Amino acid sequence: MNDRYDAGYGSDQYELVGYDEYGRPVYRQVAAQQPQQQTYDPYAQQGYGYDPYDTSRQQSAPSYDSYDNGRQPPATPPYGSQAPYDPYGTGTHGAAAPYDPYGQAATSGQQPRVAEQTAYIPHQAGPAEENRPPQEPEEQAASGEQDYHTEQFAFVEEPDGDSEDVIDWLKFTENRTERREEARRRARSRIIALLVVLALVAVGGVGYLWYAGKLPGLSSSGSKTDTATPAGAQKRDVIVVHLHNTGKGGTSTVLLVDNTTTKQGTTVLLPNSLALTADDGSTTTLAKSVDDDGTSGTLDQLDTVLGTNIQGTWRLDTPYLQNLVDLVGSVDVDTNTDVPDPDAKKKGTSPLVHRGKAQTLSGKMAVAYATYRAAGESQNVQLQRFGQVLQGVLRKISSDAADATVTVQSLAQILDPPLTDKDLGTFLAKLADLAKGGDYKTALLPVGADGTLSAQTSGSVVKDILGGTAKSPDAGSAVRVSVQNATGVKDDTEKARVVLLNGGFTFLEGGTASGTRATSQVLYSDAADKANAAEVAKTLGLPAGAVAKGGVSSGADVSVVLGRDYKPATS
């Protein structure tokens, strides 16, 4: 058989024209061709030729066994060669070529390239084929026909199972990217908002410092409000409070001040030695005025001396103070001394109030601390303790006017007109709000030894806090008494001063003698002052025989030397 093949191509010449898709050379016959050998076409008798593009009828390539029936195989070019591609599949002489599954030409003519098919075109059956009965698979195999299905062709696109996973992955990555971008946008928005808030806080802080006059270089002291509004033009609400010690006697007086312009609250402590002018024009002291003239007369006298406008008077007896502290639930005070229990029958028992920071005081403890005055202490020290208790009460009372009014009404106290429960409750609520916010302070009114006020010593309190002008009584209108202490007890000087001031005399400090003496002495230099000397001895509780003519201290009308026979009265 190989001889026949070689003989078939021996006299022909081939020319290389290209390569097929598998990289095999493609030749073209250039010499005279031998007579075309008729190939076997099982459908030729029916008039059907093979159209490689007419795929409506799928047929299989003829079996090689068909060539064993005495027919010679076609002459083919050398291995790997193929006739040039004929797009119309007609071959050299226009006859249809059979399908070769191995890509070799069935004839010497051109063979169409099955690998370059790009579509499956349904075959239109002819009249004879339409009447042809369907073949069984065995018949198809015998006749050389093969039933092709669309899934056997590479050009049929099938859905890929992984395509949905790829789409889901793309969606996931896209969503994750969007979430990251959204997180970045939110972070940028938060940063921008934070910067805006910080800028507003900074601007507000600087504005407040400028308003308060606390910016460096703009104001050395005081606030913007104080600078813009003169002290006298600021609006203040003032109430005077008199604490009456019903157990031991004596009084303590303070002013509660609410400066509605500067939003500042103050407790002004008024010493009992403050000189006032009585209704008859004589000179008296604050303590004596409270005892003699009552609340109404004292209020007018204070307005005259301080140049203020006091709206009302609150008489607070010690039992009411105790109830008030218990109603607000105790007070916290930085106590400066141990206070014994006034009801203790034995000395040396544990103190009722202990010295220390932030001591919690009940009503009884608060009253004991507010009225306590140790030996040798001035009345001003006891007055400061009363101020501490009052500020502690203000920090605990409600800032709501209605609730504060209920607290005042719970005291069941009769107030002095024109002050009412509602007025006092509203006033205390405002001060409570200032005390809780740290805008509250306590100040002692400086009073001279003779009980008078001076612009140098009392100007900061009278002018700045009260917005008034000091108008003390004329010092020449009262008898000036100089006191020297020779008793050996330091506290006797202070007690004598209080007694003399309460008696309407002007007190002058005479110092302490180097030694002690047994008896006291009251001296006058001018006969006109003999009656005044006798009145001084009576006020101090000294016998009339202690009055004598002699030298007196400079600036004084009467001089007193206290001896061990002096028995000071309890103030």
Side-chain angles (χ1 to χ4, degrees), residues 119-139:
Y120 180 82
I121 304 175
H123 176 71
Q124 301 293 332
E129 191 174 358
E130 291 178 356
N131 297 325
R132 181 179 178 180
Q135 294 178 325
E136 295 296 329
E138 293 80 2
E139 297 176 359

Side-chain angles (χ1 to χ4, degrees), residues 53 75 105 118 132 152 158 209 239 267 277 421 423 451 509 558:
Y53 294 93
T118 59
R132 181 179 178 180
Q152 293 177 316
E158 297 180 355
L209 292 177
I239 288 181
T267 297
T277 302
D421 294 342
D423 294 338
E509 177 67 44
V558 176

Side-chain angles (χ1 to χ4, degrees), residues 246-395:
T246 58
K248 296 182 178 180
T251 59
S252 301
T253 303
V254 300
L255 296 178
L256 298 180
V257 183
D258 176 19
N259 191 323
T260 59
T261 303
T262 61
K263 306 298 181 182
Q264 177 70 46
T266 309
T267 297
V268 179
L269 309 178
L270 303 181
N272 281 337
S273 60
L274 176 63
L276 301 177
T277 302
D279 295 339
D280 57 2
S282 62
T283 301
T284 186
T285 61
L286 175 60
K288 188 173 180 61
S289 175
V290 173
D291 291 337
D292 296 343
D293 300 330
T295 58
S296 177
T298 303
L299 186 149
D300 295 336
Q301 294 170 15
L302 287 173
D303 279 340
T304 301
V305 170
L306 301 175
T308 58
N309 182 21
I310 302 174
Q311 284 81 31
T313 300
W314 182 18
R315 172 169 175 160
L316 187 63
D317 295 348
T318 50
Y320 291 115
L321 175 61
Q322 179 174 337
N323 293 339
L324 177 61
V325 173
D326 290 335
L327 284 173
V328 299
S330 74
V331 295
D332 296 328
V333 177
D334 295 336
T335 58
N336 52 24
T337 186
D338 291 338
V339 178
D341 188 352
D343 297 333
K345 297 180 180 180
K346 295 182 180 180
K347 294 183 178 180
T349 58
S350 177
L352 178 63
V353 178
H354 293 273
R355 178 179 179 180
K357 293 285 187 179
Q359 295 292 311
T360 301
L361 306 182
S362 63
K364 180 180 179 181
M365 297 167 66
V367 170
Y369 182 77
T371 59
Y372 180 70
R373 178 181 174 187
E377 289 183 341
S378 66
Q379 191 262 337
N380 291 344
V381 176
Q382 174 266 318
L383 187 61
Q384 290 174 340
R385 295 188 182 112
F386 174 44
Q388 287 180 280
V389 171
L390 270 183
Q391 189 164 347
V393 170
L394 292 175
R395 284 195 297 261

Side-chain angles (χ1 to χ4, degrees), residues 4-15 27-36 74-78 107-109:
R4 290 195 302 269
Y5 276 105
D6 293 340
Y9 290 92
S11 61
D12 296 334
Q13 299 293 329
Y14 291 89
E15 178 184 13
Y27 297 91
R28 183 178 63 183
Q29 186 178 5
V30 296
Q33 301 181 2
Q34 294 182 0
Q36 179 70 28
T76 60
T107 66
S108 60

Side-chain angles (χ1 to χ4, degrees), residues 11 16 34 41 44 48 79 120 141 188 205 230 302 309 322 327 371 419 422 446-447 476 539 563:
S11 61
L16 179 65
Q34 294 182 0
D41 186 1
Y48 295 101
Y79 177 77
Y120 180 82
R188 287 194 296 268
L302 287 173
N309 182 21
Q322 179 174 337
L327 284 173
T371 59
L419 191 65
K422 184 177 180 180
V447 176
T539 302

